[in-house]
Amino acid sequence: MRFTTSRTVKTVLATAVATSALVVPAAGSATAATTTGTAAAAPAPFGAAADTIDAKCRSHGRNYVVRQYYRGPGKYTLRCGTKTWGWKHIKLRHGWNSTMDRKISAAIWSGAPNGRGGFSTYTNQCPSIEKFRTIIGTPAGRNDLLTAYKVNTLAAAGAKC
């Protein structure tokens, strides 16, 4: 009798663990970031897969949204754009890949306002050096990504360390 009860408890516990693994979102998912309240990790950008953006922009107009990035409750979009703004501009002038996508997401999610209508990420040293910059605001909308690129400039001339 004792063996049967112990075996039943083990079966119930194993089932409970397997069920909870199905209910709890993965640590890197956008759902996990919103349900766990983690502010350090940027949620995954929402939109078409990086390798299909070119095909989407060929078959849609310049105002077609290919990515959505978040900063708190705010949403910023990346549209197909033209050679002077948006995804087509970034691809042509600065290159596009999954790393660029992640850097844009991180800058918007947790970067500091840069005075150019966007957000930047900086090194954690003194004086801090700007690593990556986004500029927000296009002819299609004020919360649209104009451009994004890598930079290496000192943050402020009179920065105190």
Side-chain angles (χ1 to χ4, degrees):
M1 180 87 169
R2 192 171 244 265
F3 177 74
T4 306
T5 305
S6 176
R7 190 174 199 175
T8 304
V9 170
K10 287 180 183 177
T11 304
V12 169
L13 287 175
T15 304
V17 169
T19 304
S20 67
L22 295 173
V23 174
V24 176
S29 72
T31 306
T34 58
T35 58
T36 60
T38 304
F46 171 77
D51 58 347
T52 63
I53 293 176
D54 194 37
K56 292 281 186 186
C57 288
R58 272 188 261 128
S59 62
H60 292 85
R62 67 184 190 165
N63 292 330
Y64 183 77
V65 175
V66 293
R67 284 279 192 261
Q68 293 178 351
Y69 301 98
Y70 298 93
R71 183 177 181 95
K75 178 172 69 172
Y76 298 87
T77 55
L78 175 60
R79 297 180 186 272
C80 286
T82 67
K83 66 181 182 177
T84 59
W85 62 271
W87 182 81
K88 287 180 181 178
H89 166 77
I90 294 170
K91 180 184 174 198
L92 178 68
R93 296 287 308 271
H94 311 291
W96 180 266
N97 56 31
S98 59
T99 302
M100 176 64 94
D101 192 25
R102 283 192 306 272
K103 286 181 179 184
I104 292 169
S105 181
I108 291 174
W109 176 257
S110 61
N114 59 24
R116 304 267 324 258
F119 305 98
S120 295
T121 55
Y122 297 87
T123 59
N124 192 17
Q125 66 186 34
C126 192
S128 64
I129 298 172
E130 185 177 14
K131 297 187 305 183
F132 191 82
R133 178 182 298 162
T134 64
I135 299 177
I136 307 293
T138 70
R142 65 184 184 103
N143 281 347
D144 290 342
L145 189 63
L146 178 76
T147 190
Y149 49 93
K150 293 184 285 187
V151 291
N152 285 320
T153 58
L154 293 176
K160 294 183 181 180
C161 298

